[in-house]
Amino acid sequence: RSSMSENRCWGAGAAGMMGAGKGFWGVSQKGGGIFPAVPAAPAAPLPSTATYAMASKAPVAPAPDRRPVSPVDWSGIHVGVFSGYALGQWSGTAPDYPHQPVNGPLGGIAIGYDYRLPANWLVGVEADIAAADVKQTDNYIDAAITLRLDYLATLRGRLGFAWDRNLVYLTGGLAAAHLNSTVNQYHPGGSVSPPFQTSDEHVHYGYALGAGTQWAFLDNASLKFEYLWVNLPEQMYVFPRAPGFSGDNTAQTGWSGHTAKVGVDWLFH
């Protein structure tokens, strides 16, 4: 009896512990045994709307700029010297003008200012003036006409792109040139009349368009190549009449052609 009483007391105590202490004891589903119950881990709190807003406003590092960068600062004033050659032709009323090549050397000085934009672009302005010996003589039976372009100047804008030590650019603007026409008449008043020389001159205004490239062999000096197409519209030339000459003493004259130049520029920042 004593043993049965002890067993009943133990069972009652165990049942009480299982009923009262549900958070501590559990019943095994497989073997009917008793095991300690493991408390569940607390759930992690979800991010609030304010957290998402703060994350969306966080600074983002910009992507690296992998465009080529010019180590030469092309901005500022530049001054240069150049020489070159012109290949062109006269235009005008004489029927053989378009067929006569009018070529010759030229050389001069240039000055300009450039401003460097973001992404290696460059804008600027340049002026140059050149002494030239661009001429052609047209021979006739009783006369010879020499047309000469002796000065050429331009004022142009520039738009360029620089990388490494190189610069390429487009250019265009105004052109002006001094042209002279000289007429030598052998015997204007007949076979016994003396030779007679007369001339007229004008400044022609037109335009110049072209492109160029520069290579900086020093940080403040560059080798420059430039091509320009120059167009100088016609003007009326009126020549004083020789004694005894009754023919036409006027001519329409202009010039257009290509110029190619090479020079050196110095940069001043």
Side-chain angles (χ1 to χ4, degrees):
R1 176 181 298 179
S2 175
S3 175
M4 292 177 63
S5 298
E6 289 177 359
N7 289 338
R8 282 197 300 267
C9 290
W10 182 92
M17 292 175 66
M18 289 174 62
K22 292 181 180 178
F24 180 76
W25 293 101
V27 178
S28 171
Q29 297 296 322
K30 290 184 178 181
I34 299 171
F35 67 93
V38 179
L46 295 175
S48 66
T49 305
T51 304
Y52 282 118
M54 292 176 63
S56 64
K57 293 181 180 179
V60 179
D65 189 351
R66 293 185 173 89
R67 289 172 298 193
V69 177
S70 173
V72 179
D73 184 5
W74 295 94
S75 60
I77 297 174
H78 64 269
V79 177
V81 295
F82 63 86
S83 62
Y85 202 80
L87 298 168
Q89 62 186 20
W90 299 115
S91 60
T93 54
D96 56 350
Y97 276 1
H99 309 290
Q100 299 288 340
V102 186
N103 309 326
L106 54 86
I109 59 174
I111 185 171
Y113 179 83
D114 292 311
Y115 178 76
R116 187 170 179 175
L117 299 173
N120 295 335
W121 288 97
L122 196 81
V123 293
V125 63
E126 182 175 271
D128 61 22
I129 185 169
D133 190 25
V134 180
K135 64 181 181 180
Q136 179 264 334
T137 298
D138 210 1
N139 291 294
Y140 299 91
I141 296 176
D142 59 349
I145 301 176
T146 300
L147 302 172
R148 175 182 280 112
L149 185 157
D150 50 14
Y151 287 98
L152 174 63
T154 67
L155 176 62
R156 297 168 283 108
R158 302 205 312 172
L159 174 63
F161 182 80
W163 78 99
D164 196 14
R165 307 187 72 86
N166 306 292
L167 171 66
V168 293
Y169 62 89
L170 299 175
T171 183
L174 302 176
H178 178 259
L179 274 66
N180 178 279
S181 179
T182 301
V183 179
N184 288 286
Q185 293 178 293
Y186 304 132
H187 302 287
S191 59
V192 296
S193 64
F196 181 81
Q197 184 182 84
T198 183
S199 65
D200 193 12
E201 59 186 355
H202 289 280
V203 176
H204 292 242
Y205 297 95
Y207 65 87
L209 298 173
T213 181
Q214 292 179 238
W215 173 68
F217 57 89
L218 298 174
D219 288 344
N220 65 338
S222 65
L223 185 64
K224 180 179 180 180
F225 299 90
E226 186 176 82
Y227 162 81
L228 292 177
W229 165 260
V230 180
N231 184 277
L232 302 170
E234 300 169 9
Q235 291 195 38
M236 178 66 73
Y237 284 68
V238 181
F239 305 97
R241 290 182 183 275
F245 179 75
S246 58
D248 187 10
N249 67 328
T250 63
Q252 286 280 114
T253 302
W255 184 85
S256 60
H258 313 272
T259 67
K261 299 178 291 185
V262 58
V264 176
D265 273 12
W266 289 270
L267 305 173
F268 300 91
H269 303 300

